[in-house]
Structures are given as C-alpha cells and as structure tokens.
Amino acid sequence: MKALRITVSLLLPVVLFWSGAPGGTPVYAQYTSSAHGDSANGVNRSAMTGYARGNCAHCHEQHASVDGLEPDPVADANPSPYELFTLNFDSAVTTNTYQVQDDICFRCHDGSNTVQDPAFQNKDYSETFGCGTPAATPVVDILGAVNQLSYHNLYDIWTFVDGDDTTYPWFNSSTNPCSGCHNPHLARRNNANPRDVTFSAISLPTDHTNLFTASMNDTFGANYEPPYCTNTTDREPASSADAATGRSSTVDYVTFCTDCHTSTNTINSTPLGRNLLTIDWSAGGDKHGLRVTEGTNNARLGPYSTATPPTQGVLSCLDCHEPHGSPNITLLRRRVNGGDLTGSIATALPASFPPVTGDTNTQNKELGYLCMRCHQEDATTVNGPAPSWRDVHHNNTGRPYAASGPCSQCHPNNSPTPLPIGCDMCHFHGATDAWLGGNALNIPTF
Amino acid sequence: MLLAMGTVITEGIVHAGVSDKCSDCHTMHNSQGGQPMNFNSEATPLPLLLRETCLGCHTGVNTGAASGFGAIPKVDSSPAAPTYIWGGGGNTLAGGNFWWVGFDDALGHNVAGVDTPDSRLTTPPGWNQGAAWSGQLKCAGTNGCHGNTGVADQILALESAHHSNVSAPPDLDGTTIGTSYRFLSGALGLEDPDWEYTLSSTDHNQYVGVVSRTESNAASPATISGQCARCHGNYHNSSGSGVNEISVNGDMASPWLRHPTDYAMPLTGEFSGYLNPYNPKVPLGRLTTELGALPDDVSSVNRRVIVCVSCHVAHGSPYKSMLRWNYRAWPGADPTLNNGCQLCHTAKG
C-alpha cells in the first residue's frame, strides 16, 4: 500500500494550489517585514526543521508541543503564556546577571548560546549607530548588553508597565518586559538599516500596536544637532553624511523614552535601590532638553560650537545613553560624539541620590569623561588629572560662579588648589546646585 | 474488489435511510454458491452480518455522485491520490483523507486498517485521561472517534447507526449514534449533504461550538472540539489545567497557553479582519441555536467559534499535523500563500 502511495504521490504537486480567500483581508506586511517575520533573516529555531524562516512556530507552539513532541528547548516542557515555546519572562529574577532561561528573547538574542540558526549579533548603540569599534570586552548580543554594569532592569520595566493598566492596558503580568519597548511582530532590523527610521525596532509603550518611526527631524527639526560619528566629518547615526541626514535618520528617542520617563512617573530601580530621576525634556526642564540655553560661550565643542547654535537645542537620549546596557553607570555610552570616552564611569552614585544640602562632596570626576565629549575642559589642568572644569565654572564669559573668592564655600578646601566637586553633585537630570545651600545659585545645572 | 463492490451496490443507496436492498450490506451466512459474500472474499463473517468493514465501503475516490456506491463518502482514497485543494474544489471531503498518513505519520490519524501504528507516538498528543492509552486507533468504538465509545469493536459500536442516520436538527439531537453528527456520539451540528465535496461560504458543514466556557468545564461531546478532546484533552484546556501543568489565570482567558478552542473569536482587534462571508479555508463553529440560518454570516460571536477543525482536518491532509494548509511553508517567498493563521489573525501587532 505504501509503495503504491509513494508512486502516486508524485501527482500531488500538480493538484495542490492555493485558491483565493473569500473571507477577510489578511494583513501580512507588518509581520513579514519585521525582523522576526522576514523570510530571509527572520526567526528560525534550530529545532523546527522543515518550517520556513519567519514562521510563527519558531516562537509559538499552538499546543505547547509539535506533532505531540516537545522540541528544543525541552527542559521547559510546560506550556507557556502566549503559546510561546518557553517561559516568557521569569519575574523572580529581579536583577542581572541574567541567564538565557530568564527571558525568551535571550534564547535567540544570545549569540553564544542561541536556539536560532544561524547565530546573529546585536552590537551596542555606540558601535552600530555611533561608529565605534568593539569594546575591549565586546558586547555582541542583548543578553550580554543587559549583563553589564548598568542596564535596563527587566523586572523594573515589568513592574512599572504592568502597574499602570490605564496607560498600558495591553501589558499584563505574563507579558515580556522587552515588549515594553519592542513589539516582536513589528520590530524591524534597524541594525542592518541604521540610517532608515522606517526600520525602527521600537514601539511606544503607549502605542504598542504600531511601529514608532518618527525621526528627530520630524519632531525637533534643526534644534537637534546629530553628534559626530566616525570623527568630525560625519554624523550619527552610522556615518550619516551631514547633519540633515543625521537628524532625519535618527529615531525620535526623546518622544520614545519620555513615554515612560516622564517628569512625573515614579519608576523604581531595584539595582539602584531608589526611584529613577524623572526627566523633563521640555522648555521648562533640562538644558540638554528644550530649555533655552543661556550665555554665548559655554565652551561647547563641535558640532555644538557653531556661532549661532539653536536657542532650543535638544539632545537625543541615545546621544548619551545605551538602550540596553553599558559598562558605565546609568547606561552611559562608551562612545559619544565621535570619540570613545577616555575613562570609565564606573563608580556608583551615592546611595542617597540626588544630593541634598549637607551631603558630602563626592569629588567624583568620572562623569567628566562624558561631559568632555561635548564641553571644553580646562585648557590647563588646575587640580589633578583631566578632566578639570575650573574655566567653565569660574573663568569663561557667562561663568556662573565667581572667578575668585573663598573656595571653601563650596570646595572641600580653599585656594590655591581646591579639591574638585564631584560632577554628580550638580549635573544630572533635573539638577540644580541646590545642594550648596546658602551658596547655591539655584539655577538649572543640567 | 472495489469495482466488484461498486457493481453490486449501485443498485441501492447506502447510508441515509439505507434504502432498497438489505443484501447490499448484509449477508445471512456469508455464503452463496459456496463462495463468501464478503466483498473482500474473506471467509470469516463480520459482525452485524455485514459484508464489509468501515474502510471497505469508505475507501475509494469521491465523485460527487448522488446515488449508489459513488455516493458513499470516501475517506481513504484508492487507487489514485486524492485531490486536495485548501478551501474546496478537490475530491476530498470535510475530514480530509487518510491517503497521506501512509507517507508520514504526521499527515493523518493512524487508523487500523489504513496504516500501521504511529512510529513516534504511543499516546495521543494531549491525552489527559486517567487510564493509559493502549492499542491502535480505530474508526469507531472505544479506540475510535465514531460510534459508541463504550463498545470496543468498531463495527458493533456503529450498530443501527446507518439505519437511523440524520443530518440536521431537530432530528440530529445527539441522543443516539445515528442521530449524532456524523456518528460522533453526542455531537451536534448540521451536515452538508455532500460532506463538503462541493464547498463554499454558503455550502458547508456547520460545526457546533460554545462561545466560551470556563476551564473547569469538561469538554462537551456536543461540540466538534469536545469530540477531539476525548483523546487530545489537554489541547482543549487552552489556559492550562492539564495534568502537571501550570495555569496562568485558572480560567479561559488570555494569555493562552495553548490555542483556544470552543471560544468565540472576537470581532475586534487583530481578528476584526475576518469579516463576512464565512471562509471555508478556516471554518468557524457556531452555537446550536445558530445552526441552519445564515451559513455565510460570521458577524456574530455566536457564529465564530474557534474549533479544532478550524485548522485541522480529522482524517488526514497533505500537511503536517493534519493542517488544512501548508503552515510550515509560510511565509516563504509569497506570504499570501499558506496564510491560514493570518486569515484570523488579520493584524498581528
């Protein structure tokens, strides 16, 4: 019987064909143009032999099994929410170091232990969009990224988004925290198309069912000056030819990030043991945001040193921060504005942060490695190794503090070589110099 | 043998009403003129004085004939391969065809007489009955889908069924095997007169489902999915109450652990693109109160119940897991083909 059937089966291709659907109008384009649904580069779980790349089954098992069997990874044979092949997210894991089994995304986004065929890489923003070279300890996948010193804590995202059913009604306790920023059915291969915002990989948490493709140019126009990339001859992202190209090619990360990081939202950080700073990027908020910058000479470096800088210049969040994780604190990039940071920013901020009057000056100048990528440090080092910042605080035109006086009013010691004030005492989101108490100017200092 | 049988039976009509000649199906002594009366010339008599087994009559090529042997629904094509066209137009019926299981265990139910036992599975996938599965799947009876599930012998399990066969309510009330939908004990529904030999939005079976249920409710034999749950019960517990399984919500609600069945597909969100008319490529069930009327209308949740056979066929298909379409090939070079999931999940975002 079987031999006969095998012979006749040769006729099958002749008689099998697709007939038009009399029912609804299917929508394929969104998923099949996504990174996961792309038939050339999409999902392809090694265990799912015979399934086309991009097929739903690489992530979803409609019956928590396939043909009655449990395909790899078999260690987790229980059915999982959303019919996923393994647990979506283990909310018992509250901090890194993450393991592949903690989040289904890591099953593939772990270049060294992936269930995806072939393995692939997701390098950090500094490299993919910021023209950087691999770090000394290269980060080549998302699992590696979030296992660095600072990272977007998945448990905190999960807690925050799930805790607001009004703003994020689509998110529930079984939802993957990565979905807070990414819609896996829509996210596109931005890393392969870094200068095309239509290849964005993100969706607004408040608009999860749409891909977010607004550019910095769309929202801020020329008020956004894309940073240098390779050197001073090109711009982010990814060696854009000029500023106009750069701002049109950069996703509007300000609108995106401030969808959660608003001036009012309380977001707890488990690793930091406190709430995150709120972000006010409006004209009434930070100077790195839309607040009108004062003065004419703030010793800014290119491309921000033009004779007539925009009065409401604004930075993109990712001009300074990595989205997933960083070897520096607070997800600060290892490369900014066309150059690598010359030192590590690894010292943790004080447990009680932000500072208040009476707090001890940290004298921590590490943050200066970031600042000096855009701001001119002292031409002549005053006290200790670079960076030092006496000129911008005391000497330059428009200086905020007196050129001379009793240094010990603010510094730990008096002249002629006062000890530095830690950058983190005054320069952070929402900062003023209020910690100086009676000596404070109470001016925005970020 | 089949040609001979066809010659004999063309004088009468079997099944509905079983009219005309008793001798078309039965023999008193399995002997006439010294020769066996069984169509396959077997000397061993069959139960109920029958002249053939289930497959003996239900093997062949469907032709759409209205009477005679050709009118008997064929579920195992022979000698030629069946013609399967997703959505209708071939010569397979609603349950597909066992033909393909001969090539691959995953292409059909490994029914005794059709194929050898499944080489990979010793228990039906999703089996959640207390007692262990034993033996091979049969057409009917305790180890089968059709007939009286309390009777082991598949022929005896269908005793009298063909003589009392009805195809539509109110006669089709599930109280006997003959008055159950397609002899599935207790099942309700409305049978297409030609078992979907011809198929369109207005010409199709009407499967019974329930709009929603609580997870703690046992699968109902009245629904087509409940029938499947006899062997694949865990697959009916879509939010996970199978043996040794976790349960997210403890009830029927998203997020699903498995694809839901016996649950109404919403009219909104990603499903809003499945509009009228009913799409025979992905059949939807309906409440018993909706049987008969508006066969092409799926604008009410009462007529858009997700059932097992929305995606699968019962007997076999050319595609793995007995799916209606070549799911594994999607998206491929042309995602407009093999897009069965997307016919319901019309906007996945």
Side-chain angles (χ1 to χ4, degrees):
Chain A
M1 172 64 86
K2 289 194 176 184
L4 172 63
R5 288 182 170 184
I6 291 169
T7 301
V8 182
S9 71
L10 298 174
L11 300 173
L12 283 176
V14 178
V15 298
L16 299 176
F17 61 88
W18 179 81
S19 60
T25 304
V27 177
Y28 318 96
Q30 287 184 311
Y31 175 68
T32 54
S33 65
S34 76
H36 292 136
D38 181 345
S39 61
N41 299 288
V43 288
N44 189 41
R45 182 157 47 123
S46 306
M48 305 301 287
T49 304
Y51 287 80
R53 183 179 293 275
N55 187 278
C56 314
H58 293 298
C59 297
H60 299 281
E61 296 174 0
Q62 283 74 13
H63 300 299
S65 57
V66 176
D67 288 341
L69 304 173
E70 177 64 28
D72 189 57
V74 296
D76 179 14
N78 269 325
S80 300
Y82 300 107
E83 305 159 29
L84 291 166
F85 69 80
T86 190
L87 183 64
N88 205 4
F89 172 63
D90 185 354
S91 59
V93 179
T94 58
T95 59
N96 72 2
T97 302
Y98 296 106
Q99 308 296 321
V100 289
Q101 65 267 25
D102 296 337
D103 189 304
I104 191 174
C105 303
F106 297 151
R107 297 283 187 175
C108 292
H109 290 275
D110 172 18
S112 61
N113 191 27
T114 180
V115 300
Q116 166 84 359
D117 179 27
F120 61 97
Q121 296 186 336
N122 292 117
K123 298 173 181 175
D124 62 7
Y125 194 91
S126 292
E127 184 171 352
T128 303
F129 299 90
C131 301
T133 55
T137 304
V139 171
V140 296
D141 53 58
I142 304 302
L143 179 59
V146 295
N147 278 336
Q148 297 182 94
L149 177 64
S150 65
Y151 58 104
H152 246 126
N153 181 280
L154 298 176
Y155 174 78
D156 292 335
I157 296 170
W158 179 78
T159 302
F160 172 73
V161 184
D162 187 39
D164 188 347
D165 291 338
T166 302
T167 308
Y168 316 108
W170 58 273
F171 198 101
N172 62 58
S173 61
S174 296
T175 306
N176 192 306
C178 299
S179 300
C181 298
H182 304 282
N183 184 323
H185 300 116
L186 302 180
R188 305 191 72 190
R189 299 183 70 226
N190 208 173
N191 61 351
N193 305 274
R195 291 188 296 275
D196 188 343
V197 294
T198 67
F199 277 84
S200 158
I202 54 180
S203 295
L204 287 171
T206 54
D207 189 22
H208 180 69
T209 55
N210 288 296
L211 195 66
F212 183 66
T213 59
S215 72
M216 289 295 286
N217 186 63
D218 293 336
T219 309
F220 301 105
N223 281 336
Y224 175 64
E225 192 71 44
Y228 291 138
C229 200
T230 306
N231 46 47
T232 59
T233 61
D234 60 9
R235 302 296 184 98
E236 289 192 5
S239 300
S240 295
D242 50 39
T245 305
R247 63 174 64 98
S248 296
S249 303
T250 302
V251 176
D252 174 10
Y253 294 111
V254 173
T255 299
F256 180 76
C257 298
T258 56
D259 207 45
C260 288
H261 295 279
T262 68
S263 60
T264 57
N265 278 342
T266 299
I267 305 174
N268 180 64
S269 169
T270 300
L272 298 178
R274 60 172 171 81
N275 293 331
L276 297 177
L277 300 178
T278 56
I279 310 291
D280 186 351
W281 223 235
S282 72
D286 291 336
K287 291 191 290 185
H288 289 85
L290 287 167
R291 176 182 283 274
V292 175
T293 52
E294 76 281 3
T296 57
N297 181 3
N298 291 295
R300 286 187 290 266
L301 302 177
Y304 309 105
S305 58
T306 55
T308 55
T311 55
Q312 276 193 297
V314 61
L315 297 184
S316 159
C317 305
L318 295 197
D319 288 352
C320 295
H321 296 282
E322 287 285 343
H324 298 119
S326 161
N328 300 312
I329 64 169
T330 60
L331 289 86
L332 292 172
R333 285 172 53 175
R334 61 185 176 85
R335 177 184 178 84
V336 170
N337 195 25
D340 295 343
L341 305 194
T342 52
S344 175
I345 310 174
T347 303
L349 295 172
S352 60
F353 191 83
V356 296
T357 302
D359 280 354
T360 302
N361 173 14
T362 65
Q363 298 184 42
N364 176 12
K365 298 197 301 178
E366 287 181 351
L367 198 60
Y369 296 126
L370 172 70
C371 304
M372 64 191 291
R373 293 301 316 144
C374 301
H375 296 279
Q376 178 65 60
E377 63 154 347
D378 291 342
T380 302
T381 298
V382 176
N383 186 8
S388 63
W389 303 93
R390 180 172 181 167
D391 290 343
V392 73
H393 289 103
H394 295 287
N395 295 339
N396 292 348
T397 301
R399 63 184 182 268
Y401 302 106
S404 63
C407 304
S408 59
Q409 283 184 340
C410 301
H411 291 265
N413 62 331
N414 212 339
S415 59
T417 55
L419 292 171
I421 296 172
C423 306
D424 53 25
M425 302 301 287
C426 293
H427 301 299
F428 49 87
H429 287 291
T432 69
D433 60 354
W435 76 280
L436 291 171
N439 297 311
L441 301 177
N442 291 309
I443 57 174
T445 51
F446 188 78
Chain B
M1 178 274 290
L2 290 173
L3 290 175
M5 185 172 71
T7 302
V8 172
I9 293 183
T10 46
E11 296 178 13
I13 300 173
V14 293
H15 262 200
V18 190
S19 60
D20 292 346
K21 297 180 179 179
C22 304
S23 60
D24 284 348
C25 300
H26 298 281
T27 174
M28 295 302 100
H29 307 290
N30 190 28
S31 174
Q32 183 161 317
Q35 297 298 316
M37 285 296 288
N38 285 346
F39 292 126
N40 62 2
S41 300
E42 283 284 340
T44 304
L46 292 169
L48 307 179
L49 308 182
L50 284 169
R51 300 178 64 186
E52 190 48 278
T53 63
C54 306
L55 288 168
C57 289
H58 292 283
T59 296
V61 176
N62 293 298
T63 62
S67 62
F69 178 70
I72 299 174
K74 308 301 191 303
V75 296
D76 189 17
S77 192
S78 179
T83 305
Y84 179 87
I85 299 173
W86 183 29
N91 64 10
T92 57
L93 304 180
N97 201 285
F98 289 113
W99 167 270
W100 292 280
V101 75
F103 307 120
D104 185 329
D105 287 328
L107 301 183
H109 272 123
N110 299 68
V111 170
V114 170
D115 196 24
T116 53
D118 195 301
S119 59
R120 310 156 308 146
L121 304 173
T122 56
T123 300
W127 175 260
N128 68 350
Q129 304 299 314
W133 171 270
S134 63
Q136 187 177 1
L137 180 64
K138 298 179 179 178
C139 297
T142 305
N143 270 22
C145 300
H146 302 278
N148 187 337
T149 59
V151 175
D153 186 276
Q154 63 178 352
I155 293 179
L156 295 179
L158 285 162
E159 183 175 4
S160 301
H162 290 78
H163 294 268
S164 58
N165 180 39
V166 293
S167 60
D171 296 330
L172 197 161
D173 58 9
T175 57
T176 68
I177 300 303
T179 60
S180 293
Y181 179 85
R182 201 160 300 153
F183 302 157
L184 298 167
S185 181
L188 303 177
L190 192 156
E191 292 186 353
D192 182 43
D194 65 2
W195 303 282
E196 296 191 347
Y197 180 78
T198 58
L199 180 62
S200 72
S201 296
T202 56
D203 174 19
H204 56 83
N205 287 324
Q206 293 186 18
Y207 300 106
V208 161
V210 290
V211 165
S212 62
R213 59 185 171 85
T214 58
E215 191 64 60
S216 56
N217 284 355
S220 168
T223 72
I224 194 71
S225 300
Q227 291 286 328
C228 303
R230 282 185 53 224
C231 290
H232 308 289
N234 277 348
Y235 293 178
H236 198 260
N237 297 327
S238 304
S239 64
S241 63
V243 178
N244 297 324
E245 291 186 351
I246 60 172
S247 176
V248 174
N249 295 313
D251 213 332
M252 291 285 288
S254 178
W256 307 108
L257 297 182
R258 293 189 172 94
H259 197 285
T261 55
D262 269 344
Y263 197 83
M265 184 169 69
L267 287 155
T268 57
E270 68 182 88
F271 313 102
S272 59
Y274 190 146
L275 307 171
N276 280 339
Y278 171 100
N279 188 344
K281 284 187 166 185
V282 280
L284 296 174
R286 51 177 58 198
L287 299 185
T288 54
T289 54
E290 303 294 320
L291 292 173
L294 302 173
D296 58 344
D297 190 302
V298 289
S299 62
S300 162
V301 292
N302 294 338
R303 293 189 291 272
R304 48 194 291 138
V305 178
I306 306 159
V307 291
C308 299
V309 295
S310 296
C311 304
H312 301 276
V313 293
H315 298 144
S317 83
Y319 310 121
K320 296 275 192 176
S321 304
M322 304 152 63
L323 284 165
R324 290 180 177 272
W325 65 94
N326 192 2
Y327 168 55
R328 296 188 180 203
W330 191 86
D334 184 355
T336 63
L337 305 177
N338 304 307
N339 59 334
C341 297
Q342 290 69 37
L343 295 179
C344 292
H345 299 271
T346 52
K348 197 68 189 170

